[in-house]
Amino acid sequence: MKTLSPLFGATIIASTALNAPAFAAQNIYKPFPSDVMPELSENGQYKVGVKTIEATYPDKVTDFLKGKVERSLTLEVWYPTAETTTLATYSDETRSGKTFEIQANAYRDVAIAESETKYPVVVISHGYTGYRTLMHYLGEHLASHGYVVAAIDHTDSTNKEVNFAESPYSGFPSTLLNRSRDQVFTLNTIVEHDFFKTLVDKDNAGVIGYSMGGYGAVSTVGGCYAFNDTTAATFTGTQDPAAVALVKKALNTCAGGKPNAEEVLPSWKAALALAPWGGQHQLYDVESLNSIDVPVLYVAGDNDDISGYQGIRWLFDNTGSKQSKLLTVKNARHNVAPHPAPKEAYESEFDLGSYIEPAWEVQKLNAINEHFALALMNCHVKGLPEYCDFLAVSGSSDQAPVDGQVPAPWKGFDNRWAMGLVMESKQ
């Protein structure tokens, strides 16, 4: 782990955000030596640029309460660059509304690096609630290795929009309806954007989703939703039977709001589902899960009390792609994906509870995610077979002695530093 050193025709507006003074931002990462972190969590060859853009759906979309409405998303986009200026910062707020600013390892609004080889696109999707820079470490990391990475502020589903203390489920119906749609829209937005389109590979892309973002990602690569009357009513707060029928019809789509899984965008080549929600309620049609041919790496804490570990196992067991895998983080709950907590979150359990893992160093979890995300995307999106070897680990990472012999560590992990993980494969 390093420290500091859709739809076509969308309306796009470049951000004019300025860098905040350097002293205002906190560095949330510790200077661990590289030896204790996984090999593929190291920076790539590129410096990283970052740009904030606004993207508006070209047509009005469905809102369960308001009917047809306009929908816009704020995207944070990281990309390779050769330029440097003052390092950028990321500003957001905790669930209780405390604002904070953290130090980026990227340069805002610099030129994208020219390249003879086009950059694949990766879409990052946060949970409920969250914000677009919740996994900025993955955006910066993949961009340094030659990807354009777009992370979404899912409208109606961010910390800024949802009063989680007083009305925690106010944005949940929109989240259920729009997660996969937003992911597909974001990919199409980036490949058509004037700043990126000549240098991005529109035919090869990946998606990363955490919690409700994972709920969307599974659908984006082919899992069709299968809400019944009870689940449609329960998770949207709808009671009238006629309204429930309409809600169920709106929800039960595939691949970004399409009527069937055959309309999965062929661009998607890999998915990383971090603690994905929905499997514990079996909200997907099993036949469609069986038909998924995009490799999915599921990452789950074996004590996940939000998405439910057995629910994530159900998704893995039913995912058809034989190249799919399940990485279990032992003694972890649900917070396997967020960046380390800002100092403002330490003022209450209410805020800290959406960042901290009781038994894990969060920075180590971030590095593990960087390692396997790069292995997954390089193997399946860029088609670099040498990176597939990093995914070919199996069983426990603990190096527990067998017949008096200590096993070698997993590929990419130093001796004695591969602990607490279990990898399972479909094959």
Side-chain angles (χ1 to χ4, degrees):
M1 177 75 181
K2 63 280 175 188
T3 54
L4 284 179
S5 45
L7 300 172
F8 296 94
T11 301
I12 308 298
I13 307 171
S15 169
T16 57
L18 299 176
N19 290 324
F23 65 82
Q26 55 190 292
N27 184 1
I28 56 176
Y29 288 103
K30 302 171 185 176
F32 281 107
S34 60
D35 311 64
V36 307
M37 295 299 188
E39 179 181 339
L40 298 187
S41 68
E42 284 297 302
N43 285 335
Q45 63 176 308
Y46 294 101
K47 296 178 176 62
V48 179
V50 63
K51 181 178 290 291
T52 306
I53 65 176
E54 301 293 331
T56 301
Y57 278 75
D59 301 312
K60 290 186 176 181
V61 302
T62 298
D63 182 287
F64 286 138
L65 296 178
K66 302 175 183 177
K68 292 292 185 178
V69 299
E70 290 187 352
R71 182 171 178 83
S72 295
L73 305 175
T74 302
L75 309 177
E76 200 78 357
V77 190
W78 296 273
Y79 52 91
T81 187
E83 296 185 7
T84 60
T85 57
T86 303
L87 285 170
T89 60
Y90 306 128
S91 301
D92 224 290
E93 61 184 60
T94 66
R95 277 186 168 174
S96 69
K98 296 184 178 72
T99 58
F100 61 87
E101 191 166 46
I102 56 179
Q103 184 64 64
N105 195 22
Y107 304 94
R108 190 164 294 283
D109 295 331
V110 292
I112 189 169
E114 294 293 329
S115 174
E116 294 182 1
T117 303
K118 292 188 175 183
Y119 306 121
V121 179
V122 176
V123 173
I124 295 181
S125 180
H126 65 74
Y128 180 83
T129 52
Y131 43 88
R132 65 187 184 275
T133 59
L134 189 69
M135 293 171 279
H136 71 269
Y137 64 93
L138 283 176
E140 293 177 347
H141 183 61
L142 291 172
S144 79
H145 286 273
Y147 291 84
V148 171
V149 187
I152 309 165
D153 255 0
H154 289 281
T155 301
D156 307 320
S157 190
T158 65
N159 286 355
K160 290 180 179 179
E161 294 173 283
V162 177
N163 185 332
F164 209 82
E166 297 180 8
S167 185
Y169 302 112
S170 61
F172 208 67
S174 174
T175 300
L176 295 171
L177 184 63
N178 290 307
R179 259 310 183 274
S180 181
R181 288 174 168 87
D182 286 351
Q183 292 167 6
V184 173
F185 169 66
T186 295
L187 174 59
N188 287 333
T189 292
I190 296 302
V191 301
E192 285 295 298
H193 190 278
D194 287 343
F195 185 82
F196 299 108
K197 65 182 181 182
T198 61
L199 286 172
V200 296
D201 180 357
K202 65 180 181 180
D203 297 323
N204 293 287
V207 59
I208 298 173
Y210 167 48
S211 193
M212 293 306 299
Y215 153 90
V218 172
S219 179
T220 291
V221 297
C224 298
Y225 298 124
F227 286 81
N228 56 36
D229 288 349
T230 300
T231 52
T234 300
F235 294 121
T236 63
T238 306
Q239 297 180 350
D240 177 71
V244 169
L246 293 173
V247 166
K248 187 171 64 171
K249 181 178 179 181
L251 289 173
N252 287 344
T253 59
C254 319
K258 301 298 184 181
N260 58 68
E262 295 178 0
E263 298 193 53
V264 173
L265 286 179
S267 304
W268 300 118
K269 297 299 191 295
L272 174 58
L274 300 157
W277 186 88
Q280 74 274 47
H281 303 293
Q282 299 189 8
L283 296 181
Y284 300 85
D285 170 70
V286 172
E287 184 176 352
S288 70
L289 291 176
N290 294 164
S291 298
I292 290 175
D293 60 7
V294 175
V296 183
L297 173 58
Y298 293 96
V299 178
D302 62 0
N303 286 292
D304 192 317
D305 53 348
I306 303 298
S307 294
Y309 180 63
Q310 292 305 319
I312 300 170
R313 289 202 65 92
W314 180 83
L315 287 170
F316 167 68
D317 289 341
N318 285 288
T319 296
S321 170
K322 298 303 181 184
Q323 298 182 84
S324 294
K325 295 176 179 288
L326 172 62
L327 178 66
T328 298
V329 186
K330 294 191 291 186
N331 298 315
R333 292 188 180 276
H334 187 64
N335 296 335
V336 295
H339 64 64
K343 64 179 185 295
E344 289 81 1
Y346 283 84
E347 297 174 10
S348 70
E349 190 279 336
F350 181 74
D351 283 334
L352 197 58
S354 62
Y355 295 101
I356 290 293
E357 273 297 319
W360 276 85
E361 162 64 61
V362 172
Q363 185 168 333
K364 183 65 179 291
L365 289 175
N366 287 182
I368 291 168
N369 291 340
E370 288 176 331
H371 175 86
F372 284 109
L374 183 61
L376 179 72
M377 299 303 166
N378 276 3
C379 173
H380 296 296
V381 178
K382 286 190 175 181
L384 302 174
E386 63 270 28
Y387 285 88
C388 303
D389 293 343
F390 292 95
L391 298 171
V393 297
S394 63
S396 172
S397 68
D398 288 350
Q399 295 184 271
V402 178
D403 297 328
Q405 300 295 315
V406 177
W410 279 4
K411 182 175 177 60
F413 289 77
D414 267 20
N415 188 48
R416 299 183 70 244
W417 291 100
M419 292 289 293
L421 304 173
V422 178
M423 183 71 87
E424 300 173 62
S425 300
K426 301 290 288 189
Q427 298 176 319

